Amino acid sequence: MPDSTPVWAWLPGATEPVRAAALSSDGRRYRFQYDPAYLAQAVGTPALDPVELRLKPAVLTTQELPGVLLDAKPAGYGQDRLNAQLHDRYQRDLTELELLEAGPADGVSAIEVCHDIDRKLRWSPPSIEGLQHELERLEEGAPGSRAMRRANGDAATSAGGERPKATFAHQGRLWLVKMQDRGDRQGMPAMEYAAMTLAAQADIDAAPVRLQTVGPHQALMVERFDRAGNPGTPQRSLFASAHTVLQLPPAAVRGHALRSYPILADRMRIWGRNADPSMLMRQLQQLWKRMAFNALVGNVDDHPRNHGLLFVDGAWQLAPAFDITPIWRPPQEHGASHMPVLAMATGADGSAGVEPQRLIAASGHFGMAAEEAAQYLLETSEMIVDRWEATLRQALAPLADRRPPAYADAVVNDTRAAFALSYSIVDSPALLAQAVQALHAPGKADGGGSDADRLPGRKCRQCITAHRRPANPHRPVPRTAPHRSPTAA
């Protein structure tokens, strides 16, 4: 292909890339073609995308940049930084191919699209100690994101997302660091840290997180799950966002028919067709738990670019969960729902509602029994209600001497409403057994009914309240409008 740009890929376990393909564009269409040497490698060489970019010698022509390459492209904050830095040279915003060429080698996945691969390989992550130094000398009142830019040499990033972030090295590992930016809600790093900590306690395979506090500033550190080994010359793993797996157009917004957890489960069955069947089943059940957990903590920023698949041990599987933050607030409009609405559909009808009946009714599509789903909702809600405030206050505690006295209370009270669904389930657990019973009623697809009112570990529907933990008189009541009774999906 004339005027083509090399596409480089890191094979599993490798610390240097090989030339995998070539990409060109005439401004209207993209042309992608695998390199013959890549196709001729030993059995087991992975396709960069097993659906859109299968291992074939033919030229693939597409209207849009192939999804896994779009995932590797600087976007949001990183794209804005590159456009600003290179404006004098180009006098315009960069094209997608120019962004791929110009971005540093800290993007997600094991792919780089560039002519100068040596420049990419020379990239070295700054240290967390450098960030701490810049935070200590930061001007009073300035946002912590300014110190992060200085510690990063004012460089851009190829990591996606709208909030300021950069990759740093710490204790032999790579971490994506996010900081409070001007205009953010108070306590965002601590809020995300608390939610990710709760996720790990709720059987969610979540990326490890740490919270660093320097003076009045906090930095959330998320371990890079697509990198391993020496931070300077890491092994890299292929990644595909759920946006790519769902084959969504780049500008697809909330409400698009394919922005759906059930459809993502279907696509996982295709992408994971080479995986062990029992592992794939666990992955599908894990996806349902993530959908449910997002609802229980009010993480309504669960859009398709905040989910993804990782190529591990020769198979595509769910990447560790990331970007979970309890940000939902009750809308002020009259008649609006008093429960969160997720960014992806939770059922086949395209609705993103989170009523317990909907979540339980959807569980079978993910290979999960309704009784097991109800049990997860109950136990996880109880855990969240018991622990979220203490976890968040503990995360905020290092700021006590550097922030106003009411700072922690303000953050906690601003976050409380996000857990509305968890409080509702704990206060009315019989709704779960009723949902299971409705699924097993005569005429339902899954039939039966003899065990309709049973949940694992519970004797009967009437016993579900009796088996709850004793009420905690110190548990705060959520400051939301009165909850509506959920309706059947």
Side-chain angles (χ1 to χ4, degrees):
M1 288 184 292
D3 302 322
S4 62
T5 301
V7 178
W8 306 87
W10 277 252
L11 295 175
T15 57
E16 293 190 354
V18 297
R19 181 166 173 155
L23 180 73
S24 66
S25 173
D26 60 6
R28 294 174 299 156
R29 290 179 296 272
Y30 288 95
R31 292 178 176 84
F32 175 95
Q33 185 176 28
Y34 277 110
D35 193 283
Y38 188 81
L39 294 174
Q41 301 229 14
V43 175
T45 299
L48 305 186
D49 175 330
V51 175
E52 186 180 10
L53 303 178
R54 297 180 183 179
L55 291 173
K56 295 180 179 180
V59 175
L60 172 71
T61 301
T62 63
Q63 294 288 336
E64 307 287 352
L65 186 68
V68 290
L69 306 186
L70 194 64
D71 291 335
K73 179 186 74 68
Y77 170 77
Q79 180 174 341
D80 291 344
R81 295 290 300 156
L82 284 169
N83 280 328
Q85 291 172 357
L86 299 175
H87 180 75
D88 289 345
R89 181 192 305 179
Y90 289 91
Q91 296 296 310
R92 57 170 172 78
D93 287 346
L94 277 65
T95 66
E96 290 178 327
L97 281 175
E98 289 167 346
L99 286 165
L100 284 162
E101 181 79 46
D106 67 339
V108 71
S109 193
I111 297 173
E112 295 289 348
V113 182
C114 63
H115 292 280
D116 190 356
I117 189 62
D118 289 335
R119 180 185 70 83
K120 299 273 189 174
L121 294 176
R122 287 194 298 271
W123 177 83
S124 180
S127 70
I128 284 290
E129 290 73 22
L131 174 59
Q132 293 170 337
H133 173 71
E134 292 296 339
L135 286 169
E136 289 169 353
R137 60 193 292 267
L138 187 64
E139 302 89 341
E140 184 175 355
S145 55
R146 184 179 301 174
M148 185 176 66
R149 287 197 297 271
R150 291 172 177 170
N152 196 30
D154 205 33
T157 177
S158 294
E162 299 301 324
R163 294 181 60 204
K165 58 179 65 68
T167 298
F168 289 83
H170 181 60
Q171 295 181 345
R173 289 178 283 177
L174 289 173
W175 302 80
L176 190 68
V177 176
K178 297 189 278 187
M179 299 206 63
Q180 189 87 14
D181 194 25
R182 199 182 302 277
D184 280 350
R185 283 171 62 172
Q186 293 186 101
M188 283 291 285
M191 289 164 59
E192 185 169 346
Y193 173 82
M196 292 288 287
T197 300
L198 293 172
Q201 298 169 15
D203 198 29
I204 302 297
D205 176 20
V209 292
R210 294 185 182 182
L211 192 64
Q212 291 273 4
T213 303
V214 179
H217 304 285
Q218 289 193 310
L220 177 73
M221 301 169 54
V222 185
E223 187 173 352
R224 293 288 300 259
F225 49 73
D226 62 333
R227 301 290 199 274
N230 186 329
T233 56
Q235 303 167 33
R236 298 174 59 166
S237 297
L238 289 170
F239 173 87
S241 71
H243 198 284
T244 291
V245 176
L246 291 166
Q247 294 183 303
L248 285 161
V253 297
R254 188 186 298 262
H256 190 285
L258 295 178
R259 280 181 56 144
S260 161
Y261 283 102
I263 295 177
L264 180 56
D266 292 337
R267 297 297 172 86
M268 284 175 59
R269 291 179 170 95
I270 297 172
W271 281 62
R273 57 180 173 265
N274 295 327
D276 176 76
S278 61
M279 188 273 285
L280 177 59
M281 182 60 67
R282 291 192 298 272
Q283 292 281 300
L284 294 170
Q285 293 172 354
Q286 170 73 193
L287 179 61
W288 181 89
K289 290 179 179 180
R290 294 187 190 188
M291 176 179 74
F293 185 82
N294 284 332
L296 293 172
V297 300
N299 174 39
V300 294
D301 193 34
D302 59 321
H303 58 78
R305 294 203 185 279
N306 278 346
H307 302 274
L309 304 185
L310 202 64
F311 190 75
V312 179
D313 297 331
W316 288 93
Q317 53 189 280
L318 273 175
F322 58 98
D323 277 8
I324 302 175
T325 310
I327 58 173
W328 181 76
R329 288 168 165 164
Q332 300 302 312
E333 297 84 355
H334 177 71
S337 173
H338 294 292
M339 289 293 165
V341 176
L342 298 183
M344 292 174 57
T346 55
D349 62 356
S351 169
V354 298
E355 296 87 351
Q357 291 92 327
R358 286 188 61 82
L359 300 177
I360 293 172
S363 62
H365 194 83
F366 300 79
M368 200 168 190
E371 293 83 358
E372 185 181 357
Q375 188 76 15
Y376 180 84
L377 288 173
L378 178 62
E379 293 182 351
T380 305
S381 295
E382 291 176 335
M383 182 274 291
I384 290 169
V385 167
D386 283 348
R387 300 178 188 175
W388 78 264
E389 182 171 345
T391 303
L392 181 55
R393 287 190 180 277
Q394 185 176 13
L396 294 166
L399 297 174
D401 296 334
R402 303 303 301 269
R403 294 281 187 173
Y407 179 77
D409 289 340
V411 174
V412 167
N413 290 333
D414 188 44
T415 308
R416 190 182 308 282
F419 304 99
L421 180 60
S422 290
Y423 278 102
S424 177
I425 289 173
V426 169
D427 290 340
S428 303
L431 291 174
L432 301 177
Q434 291 168 8
V436 174
Q437 185 179 37
L439 284 177
H440 288 299
K444 295 294 183 180
D446 51 353
S450 59
D451 294 323
D453 57 356
R454 293 183 181 273
L455 299 177
R458 313 290 182 180
K459 291 184 178 180
C460 63
R461 179 161 57 96
Q462 290 76 17
C463 297
I464 194 166
T465 303
H467 279 262
R468 286 175 56 199
R469 301 175 195 173
N472 179 0
H474 302 292
R475 190 180 74 222
V477 176
R479 299 182 181 180
T480 65
H483 300 319
R484 296 186 304 173
S485 296
T487 55

